[in-house]
Amino acid sequence: MKIRFTDHAPRLSDTDSHRAHAAGLPNLPQRLLDRHRARVLRPGEAPVAAGMASPGSTIYRYDRVLLCHRLLADDALMADVDNALGEIGVRLDHDAIARTDACRPHPVALRLTDEAAPGTVDAWAALQTLHGAVSAGRCATEITGRVRLDHLMVGSALTGVGMYGTGDDSGGWPNGSGPYVEQSTLSSGYLNRMPVEVIAPMPPRRERGALPGNRRPVIAVLDTGIVDGHPAFDVSDRACARDTFVVVDEELQDILEAIADPQSPVLHGTRDDPGVPGSLLGDLASHYGHGTFIAGIIRQLAPDAQVRSIRVMHNDGLVYENECVTALTTIADEVARARDGDPTAEPVDIVSLSFGYADETPGDVPEGGLAAVIRRLTGLGVPVVCAAGNFASDRPFYPAAFAATPGDGPPSAPVLSVGALNPNGTVAMFSNAGPWVACYATGAGLVSTVPYGVDGATGPAREVVGAGDPRESLDPDDFATGFAVWSGTSFAAPAVAARIASAMLDSGLSLGRHDLDAAAHRVRDAIKTISG
């Protein structure tokens, strides 16, 4: 496994803010946008309030906005928001707003008012209306920045979603199961998820009692979830308090399900789902097994670690920003309790994120809930390792590009943005790059675990029957062995997370100490070790 750190601190150069902001976006077919109630914000078509800069392109959910919890708690400010939106025939769905003290943005649906003419709601237009009302003095300035888009984030595996496309909206895959992947990229040697047989055994895993501090380093993987029954690792729920390699968090999953939009696809439970939504043909979804593949990478590189699997990604590779922020906030809350000495808290040591989005903010320096919670995690001594994206672009991809944005003070742990290397150490053709990328790791042609024994509807290219034993070419979605080769910055990021976890143990520092200084020391030493 190759890891190469850049020779400079991650930064957003002055020229980044002037680049063409149509780059760095997936070419999602309309059926996927419709499924997730999303739109593409196009700079040349987007309405802009007077005095506001033209936005960059992004993908967002059109019928909801994210409201800061402080705004929700202020009746006077909410009245200002209601009055301003009422001028364009739009209202916030107050009946569905859960007024809690949770320090995170809350998703709130947009609806037409009873008096409005037939039309559509649009979150971007609503935001620009509020900006205009603030500029005209009809709304308090405190509203600015407290109402934001709910971005649609994309997974960074080289398979359909998250890869740049040709504009063919039909998909180019059987039954349109994923957006078209550039043939030039595939012909360059980058295979889509492909089954392989693995002969080498998994590395041995020590008993927890043999580890320093009698505790495993815990890597939180926010992804598609996990599957049961793979012989490479065992899975249990956190509530069972078992020392399995993967633990799922049913309690957190219930929180995410409770805030989900019932008009959009809802993730039920912790386990990954194979089917392509709406298809009766048995195709495997483009990102089915994505989280299992990541868990297998960590199992190979850090066998003594533990993966905390949290399901936020749909099996088509798409993630709702508000659900990601809620999951990260819950993790940060538990880390904070551990730092305060709560013996019942079981904090994570590293967060691994293999998805992201391009922000619409001119200059690509977003603020808001995602930035705030990641800043909080790093301030608590938890490094956040993020895939840099697969668009062969230098446009910042968030949350990875937060590696180049300073926090409120010197963070005790970094955000690490990770690009992909080929096995020979060169930068992969598909990988994003730029001054905001902190390091690169092997992310092309990796072999890891996929759901065991799964066979999709795509058959072998050729079969011969009647001449002795049946013969056929390789079946591209028959994963009878439970292993596959796959590529993407999706897999470079958890490889770096795993190496950090392994270095933490190798350093001999006690992982039983939960205080901030000890956590910061562990992270700094581990990164120094893996950077050579």
Side-chain angles (χ1 to χ4, degrees), residues 203-228:
R205 177 173 164 84
R206 288 180 287 178
E207 295 293 328
R208 184 167 57 189
L211 302 178
N214 194 32
R215 191 174 79 86
R216 300 189 184 279
V218 178
I219 304 174
V221 174
L222 279 63
D223 214 89
T224 59
I226 203 75
V227 294
D228 291 319

Side-chain angles (χ1 to χ4, degrees), residues 62-450:
Y62 59 76
D63 63 348
R64 59 199 48 247
V65 291
L66 300 183
L67 268 61
C68 171
H69 67 286
R70 293 188 181 90
L71 178 58
L72 279 172
D74 192 316
D75 291 337
L77 291 181
M78 287 298 296
D80 281 351
V81 171
D82 288 338
N83 291 334
L85 294 180
E87 295 175 5
I88 61 169
V90 173
R91 65 179 177 85
L92 295 172
D93 190 356
H94 285 272
D95 294 339
I97 297 176
R99 295 178 181 271
T100 72
D101 294 329
C103 297
R104 58 174 174 78
H106 295 261
V108 182
L110 292 169
R111 303 283 185 259
L112 292 175
T113 62
D114 294 339
E115 301 80 15
T120 59
V121 296
D122 182 78
W124 174 256
L127 262 62
Q128 294 306 299
T129 297
L130 292 175
H131 281 301
V134 169
S135 297
R138 299 192 305 275
C139 279
T141 56
E142 290 91 332
I143 290 173
T144 303
R146 295 188 178 182
V147 185
R148 297 185 178 275
L149 297 178
D150 187 4
H151 295 96
L152 195 62
M153 308 167 84
V154 296
S156 295
L158 198 70
T159 170
V161 180
M163 188 57 199
Y164 46 90
T166 64
D168 177 6
D169 192 50
S170 66
W173 284 61
N175 192 43
S177 61
Y180 191 86
V181 176
E182 292 253 7
Q183 290 300 317
S184 61
T185 300
L186 295 177
S187 63
S188 298
Y190 298 115
L191 298 174
N192 175 36
R193 176 185 54 193
M194 184 68 68
V196 295
E197 176 70 273
V198 173
I199 299 173
M202 283 286 179
R205 177 173 164 84
R206 288 180 287 178
E207 295 293 328
R208 184 167 57 189
L211 302 178
N214 194 32
R215 191 174 79 86
R216 300 189 184 279
V218 178
I219 304 174
V221 174
L222 279 63
D223 214 89
T224 59
I226 203 75
V227 294
D228 291 319
H230 201 289
F233 45 74
D234 45 4
V235 183
S236 67
D237 182 63
R238 285 187 67 192
C240 299
R242 293 174 54 204
D243 185 29
T244 54
F245 179 72
V246 178
V247 294
V248 296
D249 194 332
E250 297 282 1
E251 182 178 356
L252 175 51
Q253 216 66 52
D254 289 343
I255 293 172
L256 297 178
E257 189 169 336
I259 66 168
D261 171 18
Q263 297 189 51
S264 300
V266 177
L267 295 172
H268 299 287
T270 61
R271 271 39 175 196
D272 201 355
D273 181 14
V276 175
S279 171
L280 301 177
L281 300 181
D283 299 310
L284 295 182
S286 65
H287 283 66
Y288 176 56
H290 192 261
T292 300
F293 197 90
I294 289 171
I297 289 172
I298 297 171
R299 177 66 181 82
Q300 295 173 77
L301 293 175
D304 293 323
Q306 184 174 74
V307 169
R308 186 174 300 177
S309 174
I310 300 166
R311 190 182 181 203
V312 298
M313 184 185 292
H314 295 262
N315 65 8
D316 53 18
L318 300 178
V319 178
Y320 302 156
E321 182 182 5
N322 84 85
E323 294 180 4
C324 171
V325 172
T326 298
L328 291 174
T329 300
T330 305
I331 291 170
D333 289 345
E334 187 164 20
V335 174
R337 293 199 307 274
R339 300 286 186 259
D340 290 338
D342 183 350
T344 65
E346 299 176 352
V348 303
D349 299 283
I350 305 165
V351 171
S352 178
L353 305 176
S354 291
F355 50 83
Y357 77 101
D359 196 79
E360 75 281 1
T361 306
D364 276 321
V365 186
E367 288 296 329
L370 184 60
V373 71
I374 286 181
R375 207 160 41 227
R376 184 180 175 211
L377 282 165
T378 58
L380 288 166
V382 178
V384 182
V385 187
C386 308
N390 297 346
F391 303 104
S393 169
D394 62 358
R395 182 178 176 187
F397 186 73
Y398 291 94
F402 286 130
T405 58
D408 298 330
S412 56
V415 176
L416 288 178
S417 46
V418 187
L421 298 175
N422 292 312
N424 67 359
T426 59
V427 176
M429 190 76 73
F430 57 81
S431 179
N432 282 359
W436 51 273
V437 177
C439 63
Y440 295 83
T442 307
L446 289 173
V447 173
S448 187
T449 50
V450 290

Side-chain angles (χ1 to χ4, degrees), residues 28-37 152 161 179 316 318:
L28 299 185
Q30 191 61 47
R31 58 181 176 72
L32 277 187
L33 293 172
D34 291 344
R35 177 176 185 245
H36 294 282
R37 305 177 74 82
L152 195 62
V161 180
D316 53 18
L318 300 178

